[in-house]
Amino acid sequence: MIERPDIDIWALDLSEVTARRSRDPRAKVGAVILRSDNTVASVGYNGFPRGVSDDPEIYLDKPRKLLRTVHAELNAILASREPLHGCTIYVSPLHPCSQCAAAIIQSGITRVVARTNIARHSVTWAASFKEAAEMLKEADVTVKIHFPTQ
């Protein structure tokens, strides 16, 4: 018999499945927002805004790609059709950046669960992840980190 995963593991797994929709060949990040009753409020993955060119060549031009990309967390927040006060956002495989942390705080989300290997983060993003952690703490947003088992 297959063991039923707890809600955090299930939602993190769902965020990883959602990330597979990203067209970015290097970074695939997914986010899932659950209501307090553990039903899905929204999902998102990293990618370019709707209606703009999604040409694979742009993804290979890192500076241009970074200027165009909407992160998974922000996509999930923007795709929601309801207030998110008291919800939990699940993100994998990265910790939210400082800009996504700001959006999480402003949206009223009160809990962040991330599956990430902090040691694997690039130096480029390290300062943003550190600032995000500090901002979330200051705003009393609970953060739980799950480390990958692989």
Side-chain angles (χ1 to χ4, degrees), residues 17-53:
V17 170
T18 302
R20 295 189 337 220
R21 291 285 300 155
S22 174
R23 288 192 171 107
D24 188 331
R26 292 191 64 227
K28 295 185 182 301
V29 181
V32 173
I33 300 174
L34 295 188
R35 300 176 189 96
S36 59
D37 66 356
N38 293 329
T39 58
V40 177
S42 188
V43 300
Y45 52 89
N46 61 307
F48 297 162
R50 291 184 197 111
V52 303
S53 176

Side-chain angles (χ1 to χ4, degrees), residues 96-98 121-135:
C97 71
S98 61
H121 292 322
S122 71
V123 174
T124 307
W125 288 100
S128 185
F129 296 146
K130 182 178 178 185
E131 195 67 28
E134 189 173 318
M135 292 166 59

Side-chain angles (χ1 to χ4, degrees), residues 1-13:
M1 176 176 247
I2 297 174
E3 186 177 321
R4 184 176 189 213
D6 78 3
I7 197 68
D8 285 353
I9 299 303
W10 175 81
L12 286 167
D13 290 348

Side-chain angles (χ1 to χ4, degrees), residues 136-149:
L136 292 164
K137 183 177 180 180
E138 289 173 14
D140 292 324
V141 174
T142 303
V143 177
K144 183 176 182 181
I145 303 295
H146 284 260
F147 295 96
T149 55

